[in-house]
Amino acid sequence: MAGRDLSREDALSRLDHKHACHILLYADSNAKLFGKIPIKHIVLMQMRFDGLLGFPGGLVKPSEESLEAGLSRELQEELGAAVPVTMEDYVSSHLAQSPPRLILHFYSKKITEAELLEIERAAVSNAVDHGFEVLGLTRVPLYTLRNGGGLPWFLSHSFISNSRAQLLEALQRLDLVSPQTLKEAVKKAEEMRHTVKSDPH
Ligand SMILES: O=c1[nH]cnc2c1ncn2[C@@H]1O[C@H](COP(=O)(O)OP(=O)(O)O)[C@@H](O)[C@H]1O
Ligand SMILES: [Mn+2]
Ligand SMILES: [Mn+2]
Ligand SMILES: [Mn+2]
């Protein structure tokens, strides 16, 4: 994963650092794209105000709130939903490559498809940050179409900080995408960065 892996204790001991917490919310799904390509899992990300893809979450001051309480607060602001985050959902902490003295804590949490749909529905009307810090939620396509559409093209977009690495690590760790498919998608994404996109249909 991009950035140096830190233990939670080591991370929290660095009082002169800024801390940010972000979460990958996901659900299983039996839905099929075009009635034939299994979606399998829904993974939520968002388009940010700066035009970069990232996960919901944000800056947390450990002196004022626990990492988990801070992340829940950010989810209320960015998703307009009360998502209870606990230490069970904690995955890792990384020292950002830049800016200096920023530690990125990552979480993942499985919810039901109905809960995820409710978050997507409510975000537009309830999230105070909707249309400002958050331009909209997006799902991550986990399938790969014959011409490389789907996950490879998604990975060819621009991501904030180490969120692309967080996504790839989680897809592997949670077994949401097979290692082979992931490897091929990353490779195709590299190629895609330098080609013109044709209509995926
Ligand atoms: O999804 C992410 N994964 C990892 N780091 C992120 C992600 N989104 C933002 N960051 C980093 O964390 C910092 C604070 O996050 P964010 O921009 O979400 O704060 P905010 O929501 O409190 O305004 C950003 O400046 C960026 O460096
Ligand atoms: Mn914030
Ligand atoms: Mn925020
Ligand atoms: Mn944020």
Side-chain angles (χ1 to χ4, degrees), residues 22 46 48-49 56-59 73-75 77-78 129 133-134:
H22 293 88
Q46 62 189 27
R48 298 161 39 90
F49 66 95
L59 289 171
R73 171 186 51 72
E74 281 286 338
L75 296 181
E77 293 165 5
E78 299 192 2
D129 287 350
E133 270 184 54
V134 179

Side-chain angles (χ1 to χ4, degrees), residues 38-56:
I39 302 269
K40 295 189 186 164
H41 311 283
I42 304 169
V43 171
L44 269 191
M45 290 192 83
Q46 62 189 27
M47 180 50 75
R48 298 161 39 90
F49 66 95
D50 52 19
L52 297 176
L53 289 166
F55 290 102

Side-chain angles (χ1 to χ4, degrees), residues 80-183:
V83 179
V85 177
T86 68
M87 285 266 280
E88 265 157 53
D89 308 314
Y90 171 77
V91 173
S92 60
S93 301
H94 284 81
L95 193 57
Q97 271 151 350
S98 79
R101 289 185 306 290
L102 171 65
I103 296 176
L104 305 168
H105 306 279
F106 191 49
Y107 292 75
S108 62
K109 185 181 190 70
K110 186 169 190 176
I111 56 179
T112 65
E113 187 168 12
E115 287 167 335
L116 192 143
L117 207 54
E118 191 38 43
I119 286 174
E120 289 176 315
R121 280 208 184 98
V124 174
S125 41
N126 297 355
V128 287
D129 287 350
H130 176 73
F132 302 100
E133 270 184 54
V134 179
L135 297 184
L137 296 182
T138 183
R139 296 182 176 195
V140 180
L142 301 182
Y143 44 79
T144 299
L145 303 177
R146 268 195 300 280
N147 61 0
L151 187 55
W153 282 8
F154 187 85
L155 294 176
S156 73
H157 293 303
S158 300
F159 290 73
I160 183 80
S161 190
N162 71 339
S163 61
R164 189 177 186 271
Q166 288 174 330
L167 172 66
L168 291 171
E169 184 271 339
L171 293 181
Q172 174 108 18
R173 177 174 42 84
L174 299 168
D175 196 21
L176 302 181
V177 176
S178 74
Q180 187 55 26
T181 307
L182 209 48
K183 201 159 140 256

